[in-house]
Amino acid sequence: MFRNEAEDWDSMRNRLAFSGNELTPAFAPQFHHVFPRRFLAPNESEDAKAGITSEQIEALANIAIIGASVNIRISNKNPLAYFAKYEIDAERRRQQFIEGDVDQMIPEKYASWLHARAKRLTEEANIFMNELRPAKAA
């Protein structure tokens, strides 16, 4: 997210870990569930109905990096509501590789969304790792 220059999801729209053009020395990233636990499984019986496992809910692919102030306000809200309320548009989501028709997300579609985001994160991680490899001598 840092390399992608992702903006925080607060109203200031600063780049994550920055205040204006300055790196914030005390930035503490918050690991926010894009689709919060209570949205996906408000109770155990609902969890069983939707077929969503706790492993799927806690998966890295369901995590966005955001600042503390907005994470507290979002809490466990339905993403369809908090994306609109905090103006987290497609571009701001794309910066964190959150793609697809998430504005229409329902728990029954979560597993396929999670798989697609995991694949995208893997692709981006592989690109980054390949850039870190030293060039081979000829």
Side-chain angles (χ1 to χ4, degrees), residues 7-113:
E7 295 175 349
D8 199 354
W9 287 358
D10 63 7
S11 61
M12 302 286 293
R13 298 186 71 115
N14 283 324
R15 185 174 163 200
L16 277 171
F18 282 76
S19 179
N21 291 327
E22 299 291 320
L23 189 60
T24 305
F27 179 73
Q30 299 284 303
F31 302 99
H32 169 72
H33 288 79
V34 178
F35 294 95
R37 294 173 186 101
R38 287 200 179 132
F39 171 74
L40 294 171
N43 59 51
E44 286 187 36
S45 63
E46 289 296 319
D47 185 23
K49 283 184 208 171
I52 299 170
T53 66
S54 60
E55 290 81 14
Q56 289 172 312
I57 293 170
E58 301 301 330
L60 180 61
N62 188 30
I63 301 297
I65 307 299
I66 61 176
S69 65
V70 74
N71 195 30
I72 290 167
R73 288 192 307 265
I74 291 173
S75 185
N76 280 320
K77 291 181 177 69
N78 178 330
L80 295 105
Y82 80 74
F83 289 155
K85 181 175 183 175
Y86 297 104
E87 299 176 358
I88 305 165
D89 59 15
E91 174 58 23
R92 290 173 86 186
R93 294 189 306 259
R94 185 203 56 77
Q95 294 167 348
Q96 296 220 26
F97 310 109
I98 299 168
E99 299 164 338
D101 200 11
V102 293
D103 293 337
Q104 304 300 316
M105 178 60 75
I106 57 173
E108 290 77 13
K109 294 181 179 181
Y110 175 72
S112 62
W113 175 85

